[in-house]
């Protein structure tokens, strides 16, 4: 990634993290003080559980947060189904500012009620936006994204860092749906569709899938992206790409950071597709779709130059790749992992290739957005003091 990432170590004090069961890349103690006493022990002498326990939160002490903005979804503040370099910003912020943003579920009110949800529980924000749908400039995709956010000073060739300071549930239910023409196995479910309401226990951070089946929550935004290059025009919100967008990467929970190459003036960041939890692959095409409220710090890096999005968690560096073909997406992700090690650790490409092979996990992010996603998890614990 760059020298910036290699220096990250301790999270800024006072950052609010959700008390959720986190995915594999984030230690459950990520928001606690990591001060230790006694003799120093190298990582190679520790069992895996101890490695996770000693993971250090990211260093968010600089830059100090600037102004705090609030952006809620309304008919005038959403990008329905698109990312676009010609999009009209709904909020202007400076690099270093925090944005408290709410993002709606992808499940529409009619589908929720049909699946058994009491109509009184449907969010007023969603009702207002669907009621105004004829007046909203629509794109080819189905996501209702909050934005675009214009970040002053950002321009093509820069990198926008999105720090997920906190992410919490905005409602106490989620939905999951599939149809006969969507998902990874449409041929196995012809003329079949099914929707389900998943009740969320936001105190204990559990989702009730069915009697006797509960799922730990790890809320994250499925879609966080900037405008693509202007030459691409208005792109569908569903496929991820070099602009990030609908990555559906479940590792991007509170306490992590996403680094996105900027392709247009102001970056034009959109945020949406709230998930209470998801499995890698997202095989039926939806996760636990819900509405979320997040606090994000946006930082422009002039001295970074990336071709693809990257991320960092307290325990891992993450390289990513997407393509319509799984093999091509995987090759991109592995090449990006090699380049990340060259950038962050100063390794030779040949050595980095070997290190990825012996230490890192190549995971399928999602298989259902037309453009599939792959990410490589590089564990920090292998780098001893």
């Amino acid at each position: 990634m760059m020298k910036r990432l290699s220096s990250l170590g301790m999270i800024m004090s006072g950052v609010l993290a959700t008390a959720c069961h986190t995915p594999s890349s984030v230690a459950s103690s990520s928001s606690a003080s990591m001060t230790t006493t006694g003799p120093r022990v190298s990582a190679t002498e520790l069992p895996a559980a101890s490695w996770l326990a000693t993971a250090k939160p990211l260093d968010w002490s600089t830059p100090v947060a600037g102004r705090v903005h609030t952006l809620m979804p309304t008919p005038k503040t959403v990008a329905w189904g698109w990312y676009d370099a010609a999009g009209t910003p709904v909020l202007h912020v400076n690099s270093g500012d925090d944005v408290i943003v709410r993002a709606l579920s992808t499940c529409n009110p009619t589908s929720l009620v049909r699946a058994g949800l009491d109509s009184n529980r449907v969010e007023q924000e969603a009702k207002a936006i669907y009621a105004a749908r004829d007046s909203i400039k629509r794109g080819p995709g189905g996501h209702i994204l909050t934005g675009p956010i214009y970040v002053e000073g950002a321009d093509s060739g820069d990198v926008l860092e999105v720090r997920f300071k906190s992410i919490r549930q905005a409602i106490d239910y989620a939905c999951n749906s599939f149809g006969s023409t969507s998902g990874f196995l449409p041929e196995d479910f012809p003329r079949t569709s099914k929707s389900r309401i998943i009740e969320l226990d936001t105190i204990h951070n559990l989702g009730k899938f069915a009697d006797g089946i509960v799922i730990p929550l790890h809320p994250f935004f499925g879609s966080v992206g900037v405008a693509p290059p202007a030459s691409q025009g208005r792109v569908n919100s569903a496929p991820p790409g070099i602009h990030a967008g609908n990555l559906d990467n479940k590792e991007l929970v509170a306490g992590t950071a996403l680094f996105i190459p900027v392709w247009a003036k102001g970056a034009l960041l959109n945020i949406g597709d709230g998930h209470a939890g998801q499995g890698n692959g997202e095989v039926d095409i939806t996760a636990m779709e819900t509405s979320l409220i997040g606090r994000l710090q946006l930082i422009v890096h002039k001295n970074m130059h990336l071709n693809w999005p990257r991320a960092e968690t307290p325990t891992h560096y993450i390289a990513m790749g997407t393509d319509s073909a799984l093999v091509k997406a995987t090759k991109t992700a592995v090449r990006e992992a090699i380049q990340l090690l060259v950038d962050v650790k100063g390794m030779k490409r040949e050595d980095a290739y070997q290190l990825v092979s012996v230490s890192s996990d190549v995971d399928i992010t999602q298989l259902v957005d037309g453009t599939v996603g792959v990410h490589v998890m590089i564990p920090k614990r292998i780098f001893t003091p």
Side-chain angles (χ1 to χ4, degrees):
M1 199 157 317
M2 36 336 261
K3 292 181 179 178
R4 163 78 179 97
L5 277 188
S6 63
S7 67
L8 296 179
M10 294 295 291
I11 199 168
M12 64 180 292
S13 61
V15 169
L16 299 177
T18 54
C20 62
H21 187 98
T22 53
S24 59
S25 68
V26 182
S28 60
S29 58
S30 63
S31 63
S33 171
M34 301 306 298
T35 302
T36 58
T37 59
R40 195 164 186 141
V41 182
S42 71
T44 54
E45 298 175 84
L46 296 172
S50 296
W51 278 341
L52 188 61
T54 57
K56 294 183 177 180
L58 307 187
D59 180 5
W60 288 349
S61 56
T62 56
V64 176
R67 294 181 57 194
V68 179
H69 308 264
T70 299
L71 183 61
M72 296 292 110
T74 72
K76 295 183 177 180
T77 62
V78 296
W80 194 327
W82 55 265
Y83 286 90
D84 190 351
T88 302
V90 300
L91 176 68
H92 284 70
V93 304
N94 292 318
S95 177
D97 285 357
D98 282 13
V99 180
I100 297 171
V101 60
R102 180 167 179 155
L104 297 181
S105 161
T106 58
C107 296
N108 70 56
T110 301
S111 297
L112 289 170
V113 174
R114 188 182 300 126
L117 186 74
D118 188 317
S119 60
N120 292 323
R121 297 178 68 190
V122 176
E123 298 170 273
Q124 291 302 315
E125 292 86 352
K127 290 179 178 179
I129 288 171
Y130 275 89
R133 70 172 73 190
D134 292 340
S135 64
I136 297 175
K137 189 181 294 184
R138 302 277 293 275
H143 301 92
I144 298 178
L145 306 172
T146 308
I149 301 171
Y150 187 103
V151 186
E152 298 290 348
D155 210 341
S156 180
D158 299 335
V159 169
L160 181 66
E161 178 186 357
V162 181
R163 297 177 173 179
F164 300 101
K165 289 186 172 182
S166 69
I167 304 174
R168 64 180 177 86
Q169 308 292 151
I171 53 179
D172 59 0
Y173 60 87
C175 59
N176 180 271
S177 305
F178 74 90
S180 60
T181 60
S182 61
F184 191 59
L185 298 174
E187 67 275 17
D188 287 20
F189 299 93
R191 299 176 299 280
T192 303
S193 63
K194 186 169 185 177
S195 296
R196 147 189 326 264
I197 302 298
I198 301 172
E199 296 291 343
L200 304 180
D201 179 345
T202 58
I203 303 300
H204 300 96
N205 294 291
L206 296 171
K208 183 180 179 181
F209 182 83
D211 288 343
I213 304 176
V214 293
I215 306 167
L217 306 185
H218 55 270
F220 71 98
F221 296 100
S223 193
V224 180
V226 299
S231 60
Q232 295 186 15
R234 175 161 291 187
V235 303
N236 192 317
S237 64
I242 55 175
H243 65 294
N246 193 34
L247 294 171
D248 284 329
N249 191 319
K250 71 174 187 178
E251 305 294 342
L252 300 178
V253 296
T256 67
L258 175 64
F259 295 78
I260 312 172
V262 175
W263 305 99
K265 193 174 184 63
L268 300 179
L269 181 75
N270 286 337
I271 302 152
D273 192 24
H275 293 167
Q278 177 199 296
N280 276 338
E282 199 187 23
V283 293
D284 81 348
I285 204 171
T286 55
M288 286 194 282
E289 308 289 332
T290 193
S291 294
L292 300 175
I293 296 175
R295 181 165 180 158
L296 288 55
Q297 187 178 15
L298 308 180
I299 299 152
V300 177
H301 295 283
K302 292 288 186 181
N303 59 343
M304 293 185 193
H305 303 286
L306 299 178
N307 295 317
W308 287 88
R310 294 178 182 175
E312 185 176 6
T313 80
T315 59
H316 289 75
Y317 299 111
I318 306 178
M320 306 180 194
T322 69
D323 196 270
S324 58
L326 183 58
V327 170
K328 289 184 178 179
T330 305
K331 288 191 174 187
T332 295
V334 172
R335 287 174 177 139
E336 284 297 300
I338 292 169
Q339 188 60 46
L340 188 154
L341 289 169
V342 171
D343 294 342
V344 175
K345 297 298 181 181
M347 298 183 69
K348 294 182 179 179
R349 285 180 52 80
E350 296 82 357
D351 295 336
Y353 187 27
Q354 291 178 306
L355 183 59
V356 169
S357 185
V358 301
S359 70
S360 305
D361 292 323
V362 180
D363 293 337
I364 292 174
T365 321
Q366 55 77 24
L367 291 164
V368 291
D369 292 329
T371 298
V372 300
V374 175
H375 61 279
V376 181
M377 301 290 290
I378 305 173
K380 294 179 178 179
R381 66 192 183 196
I382 62 177
F383 302 104
T384 59

